[in-house]
Amino acid sequence: MSERSDWGEIRDRRMREPGAKEAYEAARLAYELGRTIRQMREQRGWSQSILADAAGMTQSAVARFEAGGTVPSLQVLERLASALDADLVVEVRPRVA
């Protein structure tokens, strides 16, 4: 019988695989973007359907985006920001060592 690994060991092993860090960063970014849009939508008391109508999207596309399931194009981000009466700010900064 093989020895069981704990979550930390599994995570560490997977993060050493080629492309794992890049995939993790893409997933983190998608999650953070979705969370921000969801918070702004909820602050306005809007449903996903209301936001979808205002942004020219489907409710299911908004749901997938808010869940971090997709990384949207800049065009989609612009439509969401416009629908929420917000500014879209895209910034590239040097990494802090």
Side-chain angles (χ1 to χ4, degrees):
M1 201 172 227
S2 66
E3 187 176 320
R4 294 184 71 169
S5 298
D6 71 8
W7 171 245
E9 292 170 354
I10 295 169
R11 182 194 61 231
D12 292 345
R13 188 175 33 208
R14 294 294 304 264
M15 289 302 287
R16 289 190 297 269
E17 293 176 6
K21 290 179 182 174
E22 293 82 2
Y24 176 84
E25 276 304 304
R28 184 190 62 77
L29 179 61
Y31 172 78
E32 288 180 7
L33 286 167
R35 182 182 62 189
T36 299
I37 294 298
R38 184 183 69 244
Q39 287 172 343
M40 293 180 76
R41 174 182 60 77
E42 290 175 344
Q43 287 172 351
R44 286 163 178 72
W46 289 5
S47 66
Q48 289 178 341
S49 295
I50 292 170
L51 175 57
D53 287 343
M57 302 170 66
T58 63
Q59 179 275 326
S60 60
V62 170
R64 279 191 307 276
F65 174 68
E66 286 185 356
T70 60
V71 177
S73 66
L74 285 175
Q75 180 183 13
V76 169
L77 287 173
E78 288 172 340
R79 290 190 351 228
L80 287 166
S82 178
L84 292 165
D85 193 30
D87 293 321
L88 175 63
V89 178
V90 178
E91 181 178 53
V92 177
R93 290 180 268 162
R95 292 188 180 131
V96 177

